[in-house]
């Protein structure tokens, strides 16, 4: 009788422990089967989507070209200053400088097909083409023009600043581990690493967040958005 009573007590005690209200069964994580939509998916890329309103009247501002202008001014100032001083010295009865005598001798004795003459002509031509390109292009490729909100007011946004703002917007998306954002003159590209959630879902949220971010930047010309989402490499 004592043994049966002890067994009954153990059974009642075990049953009470199994039915305790503070015992909760924890969910288990099952590995996704091969070929499914689990973590085996490696990448998801969005198609081109055009964002922003076009304002064809707004152009990129022209650069002051301070460095090329300063270099050309210094070279011309030095050459013309030396030539003027030498001409004044010759007129005063002094002999010409050695460089001027040597240059006059070379110009008088060398033929047009001489390598030195051809090299100097090529260098002068390249310098002239460079100056022409600087004269007909606006420069300032690192800035993006913004829409005009008031007459007579022009604003630009640095491309690196735009990329930083968009990167912060992308990091707010759930599942994004890291983002590398690049903004060009015509397109913005996001390369993101997602460590959880489906890649297509993360890419869709990134499309929405970055599209809204581009709209809020107030750019005059719309940018094409490219979103590339991948899994981080396994260590």
């Amino acid at each position: 009788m004592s043994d049966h009573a002890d067994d009954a007590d153990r059974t009642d005690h075990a049953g009470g422990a199994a039915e305790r209200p503070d015992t909760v069964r924890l969910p288990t994580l099952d590995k996704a089967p091969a070929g499914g939509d689990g973590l085996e998916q490696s990448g998801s890329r969005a198609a081109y989507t055009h964002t922003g309103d076009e304002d064809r009247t707004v152009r990129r501002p022209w650069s002051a070209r301070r460095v090329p202008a300063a270099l050309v001014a210094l070279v011309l100032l030095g050459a013309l200053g030396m030539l003027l001083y030498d001409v004044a010295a010759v007129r005063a009865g002094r002999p010409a400088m050695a460089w001027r005598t040597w240059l006059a001798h070379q110009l008088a004795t060398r033929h047009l097909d001489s390598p030195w003459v051809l090299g100097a002509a090529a260098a002068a031509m390249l310098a002239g083409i460079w100056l022409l390109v600087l004269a007909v292009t606006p420069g300032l490729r690192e800035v993006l023009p913004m829409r005009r909100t008031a007459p007579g007011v022009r604003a630009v946004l640095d491309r690196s600043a735009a990329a930083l703002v968009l990167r912060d917007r992308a990091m707010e998306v759930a599942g994004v581990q890291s983002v590398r954002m690049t903004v060009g003159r015509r397109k913005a590209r996001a390369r993101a690493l997602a460590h959880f959630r489906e890649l297509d879902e993360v890419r869709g949220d990134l499309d929405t967040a970055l599209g809204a971010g581009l709209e809020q930047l107030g750019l005059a010309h719309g940018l094409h958005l490219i979103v590339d989402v991948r899994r981080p490499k396994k260590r």
Side-chain angles (χ1 to χ4, degrees):
M1 291 293 292
S2 177
D3 294 339
H4 289 293
D6 293 341
D7 293 340
D9 292 340
R10 292 193 192 96
T11 303
D12 295 340
H13 183 71
E19 296 177 357
R20 289 176 59 185
D22 56 348
T23 302
V24 180
R25 179 178 176 83
L26 296 177
T28 59
L29 297 178
D30 296 331
K31 184 177 179 181
D37 294 332
L39 294 180
E40 286 78 9
Q41 189 177 5
S42 62
S44 176
R45 179 169 177 171
Y48 278 85
T49 55
H50 192 270
T51 60
D53 298 329
E54 289 289 340
D55 189 355
R56 296 294 182 181
T57 61
V58 179
R59 300 294 182 183
R60 194 165 72 246
W62 284 73
S63 173
R65 309 288 193 188
R66 292 184 177 89
V67 174
L71 292 177
V72 173
L74 288 176
V75 171
L76 292 178
L77 181 62
L80 294 178
M82 292 180 61
L83 181 61
L84 181 61
Y85 175 81
D86 190 55
V87 171
V90 171
R91 290 296 181 92
R94 296 181 181 179
M97 290 184 177
W99 68 268
R100 186 181 175 189
T101 304
W102 176 84
L103 181 60
H105 176 73
Q106 294 296 326
L107 293 176
T109 57
R110 287 191 178 273
H111 299 283
L112 295 179
D113 57 352
S114 173
W116 290 98
V117 175
L118 296 176
M125 182 184 66
L126 292 177
I129 293 175
W130 177 59
L131 294 176
L132 286 176
V133 171
L134 294 180
V136 300
T137 54
L140 296 180
R141 300 176 63 89
E142 295 300 323
V143 299
L144 299 171
M146 303 179 67
R147 289 193 295 265
R148 290 186 180 181
T149 57
V153 178
R154 302 179 63 181
V156 295
L157 180 64
D158 192 79
R159 282 162 49 182
S160 60
L164 182 61
V165 172
L166 295 176
R167 177 186 175 276
D168 292 340
R169 293 293 297 267
M171 290 299 297
E172 296 176 358
V173 176
V176 175
Q177 182 180 15
S178 63
V179 181
R180 185 175 62 179
M181 195 78 202
T182 56
V183 176
R185 295 173 55 195
R186 296 180 177 87
K187 63 183 179 180
R189 182 165 188 170
R191 298 178 177 89
L193 295 179
H195 58 296
F196 69 92
R197 296 181 66 197
E198 298 293 338
L199 295 183
D200 289 335
E201 295 179 0
V202 176
R203 181 188 55 77
D205 292 344
L206 283 174
D207 288 340
T208 303
L210 294 178
L214 286 173
E215 291 287 345
Q216 295 177 0
L217 290 180
L219 301 178
H221 307 295
L223 300 178
H224 293 288
L225 177 61
I226 304 177
V227 178
D228 191 0
V229 184
R230 296 186 179 276
R231 295 293 185 197
K233 294 181 179 180
K234 296 182 179 179
R235 297 180 179 178

